[in-house]
Amino acid sequence: MKFPTQLKILGHIFKVQLVDPEDIEKSMGEQNNARNIIRIRKDIPKDQVYVTLIHEILHCINDELKEVEVEFLAQTLYAVLVDNDLLKD
Protein backbone atom coordinates (compact mmCIF):
# COMPACT_ATOMS: atom_id res chain seq x y z
CA MET A 1 0.00 0.00 0.00
CA LYS A 2 1.30 3.43 -0.89
CA PHE A 3 1.49 5.66 2.17
CA PRO A 4 -1.17 8.39 1.80
CA THR A 5 -0.42 12.11 1.79
CA GLN A 6 -4.07 12.87 2.51
CA LEU A 7 -7.12 11.01 3.77
CA LYS A 8 -10.81 11.79 3.78
CA ILE A 9 -12.10 11.17 7.31
CA LEU A 10 -15.77 11.75 8.05
CA GLY A 11 -16.04 14.12 5.10
CA HIS A 12 -12.94 16.15 5.97
CA ILE A 13 -9.66 16.07 4.07
CA PHE A 14 -6.69 15.52 6.38
CA LYS A 15 -3.09 16.08 5.31
CA VAL A 16 -0.86 13.19 6.36
CA GLN A 17 2.78 14.03 6.94
CA LEU A 18 5.88 12.07 7.89
CA VAL A 19 7.94 14.43 10.04
CA ASP A 20 11.27 14.58 11.85
CA PRO A 21 11.17 13.23 15.44
CA GLU A 22 11.93 16.64 16.96
CA ASP A 23 8.70 17.97 15.40
CA ILE A 24 6.54 15.73 17.60
CA GLU A 25 6.85 15.80 21.37
CA LYS A 26 7.01 12.46 23.21
CA SER A 27 4.89 10.41 20.80
CA MET A 28 5.03 8.61 17.48
CA GLY A 29 2.21 10.65 15.97
CA GLU A 30 -0.40 13.28 16.51
CA GLN A 31 -3.58 14.56 14.94
CA ASN A 32 -5.22 17.94 14.96
CA ASN A 33 -8.90 17.98 14.02
CA ALA A 34 -8.98 21.79 13.97
CA ARG A 35 -6.22 21.92 11.34
CA ASN A 36 -7.11 18.62 9.58
CA ILE A 37 -3.62 17.20 9.89
CA ILE A 38 -2.05 13.93 10.95
CA ARG A 39 1.70 13.90 11.61
CA ILE A 40 3.78 10.76 12.10
CA ARG A 41 7.46 10.43 12.93
CA LYS A 42 9.43 9.30 9.91
CA ASP A 43 12.20 7.61 11.92
CA ILE A 44 10.06 4.72 13.22
CA PRO A 45 9.81 1.29 11.54
CA LYS A 46 7.37 0.97 8.62
CA ASP A 47 5.00 -1.32 10.53
CA GLN A 48 4.84 1.19 13.38
CA VAL A 49 4.14 4.01 10.91
CA TYR A 50 1.00 2.16 9.78
CA VAL A 51 -0.09 1.33 13.34
CA THR A 52 0.39 4.99 14.25
CA LEU A 53 -1.59 6.12 11.20
CA ILE A 54 -4.48 3.85 12.20
CA HIS A 55 -4.16 5.10 15.79
CA GLU A 56 -4.42 8.74 14.70
CA ILE A 57 -7.34 8.01 12.36
CA LEU A 58 -9.19 6.46 15.30
CA HIS A 59 -8.59 9.65 17.31
CA CYS A 60 -10.03 11.68 14.41
CA ILE A 61 -13.11 9.48 14.32
CA ASN A 62 -13.75 9.42 18.06
CA ASP A 63 -11.81 11.65 20.44
CA GLU A 64 -13.67 10.26 23.45
CA LEU A 65 -11.99 6.84 23.34
CA LYS A 66 -9.38 6.22 26.01
CA GLU A 67 -5.78 6.01 24.83
CA VAL A 68 -5.54 2.33 25.77
CA GLU A 69 -8.67 1.59 23.70
CA VAL A 70 -7.31 3.46 20.68
CA GLU A 71 -3.98 1.63 20.89
CA PHE A 72 -5.67 -1.77 21.21
CA LEU A 73 -7.87 -1.07 18.19
CA ALA A 74 -4.94 0.25 16.14
CA GLN A 75 -2.78 -2.80 16.87
CA THR A 76 -5.57 -5.29 16.16
CA LEU A 77 -6.75 -3.56 12.98
CA TYR A 78 -3.18 -3.45 11.73
CA ALA A 79 -2.85 -7.19 12.41
CA VAL A 80 -6.03 -7.90 10.42
CA LEU A 81 -4.75 -5.83 7.48
CA VAL A 82 -1.35 -7.57 7.52
CA ASP A 83 -2.78 -11.06 8.01
CA ASN A 84 -4.97 -10.55 4.93
CA ASP A 85 -2.21 -9.02 2.78
CA LEU A 86 -4.01 -5.68 2.51
CA LEU A 87 -0.90 -3.56 3.11
CA LYS A 88 1.18 -4.84 0.23
CA ASP A 89 3.22 -2.23 -1.62
Side-chain angles (χ1 to χ4, degrees):
M1 177 175 115
K2 182 182 169 199
F3 190 79
T5 58
Q6 69 177 25
L7 291 170
K8 190 177 212 179
I9 302 172
L10 301 176
H12 302 278
I13 303 297
F14 280 75
K15 289 183 184 179
V16 181
Q17 301 173 336
L18 292 173
V19 299
D20 292 323
E22 58 269 9
D23 292 337
I24 297 179
E25 289 187 29
K26 300 180 184 179
S27 67
M28 288 185 271
E30 63 186 16
Q31 56 82 28
N32 184 317
N33 283 344
R35 294 181 56 220
N36 288 4
I37 193 164
I38 294 173
R39 297 169 9 125
I40 299 171
R41 288 173 53 153
K42 64 181 175 185
D43 68 329
I44 59 178
K46 185 177 180 181
D47 61 334
Q48 192 59 50
V49 167
Y50 284 106
V51 170
T52 304
L53 177 61
I54 295 166
H55 181 108
E56 299 308 332
I57 291 169
L58 290 167
H59 277 303
C60 292
I61 292 169
N62 185 341
D63 63 357
E64 293 184 18
L65 290 173
K66 295 177 183 171
E67 192 65 23
V68 67
E69 295 169 326
V70 171
E71 187 58 23
F72 172 77
L73 289 169
Q75 294 286 346
T76 54
L77 285 170
Y78 175 77
V80 169
L81 295 171
V82 168
D83 291 348
N84 290 283
D85 294 324
L86 298 174
L87 290 180
K88 287 185 177 180
D89 286 335

